[in-house]
């Protein structure tokens, strides 16, 4: 359960980071950072889903 909370918080933090990318970066750099943050969110969601599925089995 604690792990699920960790990943839920991580997903929220990554979302917040996407909205606070420094304006001093070029548009291309901002897009790259946003893409990487989105990828990390996707990976965290996959892990979270697996944890929930594992919990449901027990």
């Amino acid at each position: 359960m604690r792990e699920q909370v960790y990943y839920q918080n991580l997903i929220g933090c990554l979302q917040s980071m996407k909205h606070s990318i420094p304006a001093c970066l070029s548009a291309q750099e901002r897009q790259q950072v946003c893409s990487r943050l989105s990828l990390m969110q996707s990976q965290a969601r996959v892990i979270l889903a697996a944890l929930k599925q594992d919990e449901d089995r027990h």
Side-chain angles (χ1 to χ4, degrees), residues 3-4 7 11-13 17-20 23 30 32 38-39 43 48 50 54 57-58:
E3 293 163 326
Q4 289 183 27
Y7 283 101
I11 291 165
C13 287
M17 291 173 71
K18 283 168 61 174
H19 295 295
S20 61
R30 285 195 303 274
Q32 288 173 341
S38 293
L39 176 60
Q43 291 169 327
L48 181 58
D54 188 54
R57 287 186 198 151
H58 293 98

Side-chain angles (χ1 to χ4, degrees), residues 3-36:
E3 293 163 326
Q4 289 183 27
V5 172
Y6 170 82
Y7 283 101
Q8 288 168 338
N9 290 338
L10 177 60
I11 291 165
C13 287
L14 291 167
Q15 186 65 33
S16 295
M17 291 173 71
K18 283 168 61 174
H19 295 295
S20 61
I21 297 172
C24 62
L25 298 176
S26 70
Q28 182 180 3
E29 290 169 326
R30 285 195 303 274
Q31 181 58 42
Q32 288 173 341
V33 170
C34 190
S35 293
R36 289 180 183 141

